[in-house]
Amino acid sequence: MLRIAVPNKGSLSGPASAMLHEAGYQQRKESKELVLVDPDNEVEFFYLRPKDIAIYVSAGRLDIGITGQDLLVDSGANAETILPLGFARSTFRFAAKPGTASTIADLEGKTVATSYEGIVAKHLADSGIEASVVHLDGAVETAIELGVAQVIADVVETGTSLRNAGLEVFGEPIMKSEAVVIRRTGADTDDPKIQQFLRRLQGVLVARSYVMMDYDCRAEHLEQAVALTPGLESPTISPLHNEGWVAVRSMVPAKEAQRIMDDLYAIGARAILTTAIHACRL
């Protein structure tokens, strides 16, 4: 069986299980379940701490895993990304009290507090900066107030919690992260089970990004309509009973669907419908 690591908690857990369910795999019903066997798909899922997944995969104990790009880099494990999954996106930034620093060069000789010392230490080393890195588990914003560090490095979304602590971000982002599928570096991914797994997840990603659009239009306006809805290869065109009219079906990006519907209506298309795509193979 294909052995796959899945996050057992945190911001990665729910979306990862939801994606696997959409891809046709069984998922656990109780959070206490640590192992789930899906015999129909010949897969065995292991629910592990997100920070440990890269370690298990790099050791070859598990074939592949789902974790965060940040956790992969922070672990220093001998593993690599094979498929970005598009959820749990985050950005890592430096922050400090106003006037402390404006660029990474200003960190020379300072102490940086973070929960991700692997990422920060590597970033500082790559930038040629000598600074101390202190590991803290959560609530790193208080490190500066308590005198543990002059600077922190943490996930920044809106920046509200940093501003509330009297801090401001500075410099370029340390890294951007998202959920990814990983494997041991150099491991063979030609295994048909791994390829099938990746195709299913890619199918979910496409299904989430597109909708199916159907509409009717006059034949003389067809070229204008097709220019708006070219599809992935080309749209399906069918003649209607009423002479001079055709029905068109095409996949369009979900985020652009409303604008495309407006543009189609403007050139005379009618009966414009969109439907969700639950699964696909391209």
Side-chain angles (χ1 to χ4, degrees):
M1 284 193 170
L2 187 65
R3 294 157 64 87
I4 302 174
V6 183
N8 68 344
K9 60 182 179 180
S11 61
L12 290 166
S13 179
S17 289
M19 177 171 277
L20 290 169
H21 178 74
E22 287 180 50
Y25 294 101
Q26 294 181 30
Q27 286 298 285
R28 62 180 183 174
K29 297 179 180 179
E30 298 290 338
S31 60
K32 293 181 180 180
E33 292 183 73
L34 301 180
V35 180
L36 183 144
V37 177
D38 183 350
D40 292 339
N41 292 300
E42 298 184 20
V43 173
E44 192 170 10
F45 293 105
F46 293 81
Y47 297 88
L48 305 169
R49 291 178 68 247
K51 285 191 173 184
D52 296 337
I53 287 175
I55 303 299
Y56 282 106
V57 172
S58 69
R61 299 299 182 184
L62 300 173
D63 300 304
I64 52 180
I66 296 176
T67 188
Q69 180 69 27
D70 54 344
L71 299 176
L72 170 60
V73 174
D74 192 60
S75 71
N78 186 35
E80 61 187 0
T81 295
I82 56 175
L83 180 66
L85 296 177
F87 63 85
R89 289 192 172 101
S90 60
T91 303
F92 285 79
R93 304 290 300 266
F94 288 114
K97 287 187 177 295
T100 301
S102 58
T103 69
I104 190 172
D106 296 327
L107 298 183
E108 186 73 30
K110 289 184 169 58
T111 299
V112 182
T114 183
S115 299
Y116 298 85
E117 70 272 25
I119 293 174
V120 175
K122 182 178 184 302
H123 184 70
L124 292 171
D126 290 345
S127 302
I129 304 297
E130 291 190 11
S132 300
V133 180
V134 175
H135 174 81
L136 294 175
D137 284 320
V140 295
E141 296 93 338
T142 60
I144 295 176
E145 188 67 30
L146 296 177
V148 174
Q150 295 90 38
V151 179
I152 67 167
D154 202 8
V155 175
V156 177
E157 294 180 0
T158 64
T160 300
S161 60
L162 293 176
R163 287 192 294 272
N164 290 341
L167 307 178
E168 64 179 13
V169 299
F170 65 88
E172 295 297 317
I174 301 168
M175 74 171 292
K176 292 187 177 181
S177 178
E178 64 181 293
V180 293
V181 179
I182 65 170
R183 67 167 182 178
R184 182 167 52 85
T185 302
D188 181 18
T189 55
D190 290 335
D191 184 326
K193 292 187 181 67
I194 293 179
Q195 289 300 313
Q196 181 188 69
F197 179 78
L198 295 176
R199 279 196 302 271
R200 287 194 182 191
L201 293 190
Q202 288 167 335
V204 171
L205 291 172
V206 172
R208 289 178 172 183
S209 300
Y210 286 81
V211 294
M212 189 65 72
M213 185 170 289
D214 293 271
Y215 58 91
D216 301 337
C217 76
R218 296 284 304 175
E220 60 265 30
H221 299 147
L222 180 59
E223 291 306 314
Q224 287 178 277
V226 168
L228 293 170
T229 60
L232 298 184
E233 294 177 359
S234 67
T236 300
I237 313 295
S238 304
L240 292 178
H241 179 70
N242 288 341
E243 188 175 349
W245 283 83
V246 294
V248 183
R249 164 168 280 200
S250 182
M251 288 174 63
V252 303
K255 63 182 180 181
E256 299 176 20
Q258 292 296 332
R259 177 189 60 78
I260 292 172
M261 292 175 78
D262 291 337
D263 292 344
L264 286 171
Y265 193 88
I267 64 171
R270 295 295 182 265
I272 309 169
L273 307 173
T274 62
T275 53
I277 300 170
H278 296 292
C280 68
R281 296 289 185 277
L282 301 180

